[in-house]
Amino acid sequence: MEAKLSAASRRVAPSPIQQLSHLAQRVGAVNLAEGFPDFPAPAHVKAAAAAAIAADLNQYRHVQGICDVLAETMKRRHGLRVDPLTDFAVCCGQSEAFAAAIFAIIDQGDEVLLFDPAFETYQTCIELARGVPVYVPLDPPSWTLNEDKFLKSFTNRTKAVVLNSPHNPTGKVFSKEELLIIAQACQKMDCFAITDEVYEYITYDENKHISLASLPGMQERTIITSSLSKTYSVTGWRIGWACAPANIASAIRNIHVKLTDSAPAPFQEAALVALTSPPDFYSSLKQDYTVRRDFILQMLTDFGFRISFKPQGSIFVFVELPRSWQLSDMDFVTNLIKNAGVAAVPGRGFFHSSTDDPSYHHRYVRFAFCKSNDTLNAAAEKMRKLAASDTRLLRPTDDGEAGQTASATSP
């Protein structure tokens, strides 16, 4: 019966990332690959979920209070005036919110611009809607927006632009200047923008998250998607949302109801508590993640990487293999899992576009640092042992490539 499977299902094949994830599980590797926290979720948020379950709030449910709080937050943080009764769809995570948004606006043959490298699920959603993903490469090593490449990517079939900022996998936060270029192009070409803002509270140094919808002329054409998952360390709860003008939000809600009916009821109740967390929760979140980011950057420097771009946001660092290491990203990650017992993600799974120099598509590796101190320390120790061993598989062939630095200290 395999031959009777749909063409769409045949296009959704397991990725090399999934295969390496299985290898990591088999050898019990320390997981710096997947972007989920392995430390406890906030106690007050867990208590709210437990209380909702105990109160038998376990059936299909829409918790309007989530929309009310989000509307207040968007006005306070971004100056956006939205109607909590009409402009939101509460979904099963940002993933469903994004998929429902795509299904709401994309018809067969419509083109959707994405910035490359990109999170892989965007393409799948677009193709399931019979749309055409069009990739606009960001320029390494700082992943800057090339205005000329971007503007030349538009055609009369362009229906939407997808923007993920802070960005997975690179950790880039799009600047105000870059956002203005995107906003002006969307208005000139009369197309939608769909934003993925799941890392909005996780930025570093002086970098600030700006919602594209807050720029002049953009709220009427922007669909914001986000979730509880990253900010509140509850990736398995699957509570997310889309925010858009009423007629668009209505279409997204209708699709969401046909797909999943409602988001998990007790976790919606907990979301209401999470979203009203005090300001010091968010300042602590940023401080804790800054320490984790700096720890992993030092760990990778100790191992021989040269850090050309320091993450400005998100929970990932995207590093290039030194040229003297005669390994592809897949080889490096496979060897790292087998020889050190540490798992990361080869960068090739995030690249899609053709460029003048496609070789760098196989030279990047993503590490997740949304991990406990114990996990990060264990990874650092395993990598130190490998670096000090006789194994040359992961070491630079030119001694000058690996800087002599102080060892990473416990976060």
Side-chain angles (χ1 to χ4, degrees), residues 205 289-299 310 408:
D205 308 319
Y289 268 122
T290 299
V291 171
R292 290 183 169 94
R293 179 200 64 169
D294 294 346
F295 177 86
I296 200 168
L297 289 175
Q298 186 62 62
M299 180 186 83
K310 195 175 181 180

Side-chain angles (χ1 to χ4, degrees), residues 16-25 29-35 296 299-300 305 316-319 321 329-338 340-348 350 364-369 371 379 383:
I17 295 173
Q18 289 172 293
Q19 296 166 11
L20 285 172
S21 190
H22 294 323
L23 172 62
Q25 289 174 6
V30 175
N31 189 351
L32 301 186
E34 296 173 276
I296 200 168
M299 180 186 83
L300 295 172
F305 284 97
F316 304 109
V317 56
F318 202 51
V319 287
L321 297 169
D329 57 339
M330 288 288 289
D331 292 334
F332 173 83
V333 170
T334 301
N335 289 336
L336 188 66
I337 293 169
K338 289 181 176 178
V342 175
V345 176
R348 69 180 64 194
F350 301 102
Y364 279 86
V365 178
R366 192 193 76 177
F367 291 85
F369 52 88
K371 306 298 177 182
M383 292 181 73

Side-chain angles (χ1 to χ4, degrees), residues 48 128 157 226 235:
L128 287 173
R157 295 184 300 278
S226 193
T235 61

Side-chain angles (χ1 to χ4, degrees), residues 48-60:
I53 293 170
D56 286 323
L57 300 175
N58 299 310
Q59 312 309 322
Y60 301 133

Side-chain angles (χ1 to χ4, degrees), residues 180-315:
L180 284 169
I181 291 169
I182 296 168
Q184 290 164 7
C186 287
Q187 291 173 76
K188 180 180 179 181
M189 300 303 292
D190 192 25
C191 65
F192 291 102
I194 306 177
T195 65
D196 175 352
E197 303 184 23
V198 297
Y199 304 106
E200 59 188 307
Y201 288 101
I202 307 175
T203 59
Y204 309 111
D205 308 319
E206 301 305 313
N207 297 289
K208 296 185 184 304
H209 168 66
I210 301 171
S211 181
L212 184 64
S214 69
L215 298 186
M218 287 305 293
Q219 184 174 354
E220 67 194 50
R221 64 181 67 250
T222 301
I223 303 169
I224 299 170
T225 66
S226 193
S227 79
L228 285 191
S229 294
K230 310 300 183 178
T231 304
Y232 306 99
S233 304
V234 287
T235 61
W237 285 13
R238 313 316 298 142
I239 301 293
W241 52 85
C243 177
N247 57 343
I248 304 170
S250 176
I252 294 170
R253 271 196 311 276
N254 291 340
I255 291 168
H256 154 68
V257 169
K258 299 300 183 185
L259 289 174
T260 61
D261 200 293
S262 76
F267 298 142
Q268 286 192 65
E269 297 291 339
L272 192 51
V273 171
L275 292 167
T276 53
S277 296
D280 62 356
F281 170 83
Y282 300 100
S283 57
S284 294
L285 177 80
K286 184 177 291 192
Q287 290 167 10
D288 290 347
Y289 268 122
T290 299
V291 171
R292 290 183 169 94
R293 179 200 64 169
D294 294 346
F295 177 86
I296 200 168
L297 289 175
Q298 186 62 62
M299 180 186 83
L300 295 172
T301 301
D302 291 348
F303 195 71
F305 284 97
R306 282 183 175 171
I307 308 299
S308 55
F309 181 72
K310 195 175 181 180
Q312 301 167 332
S314 86
I315 54 176

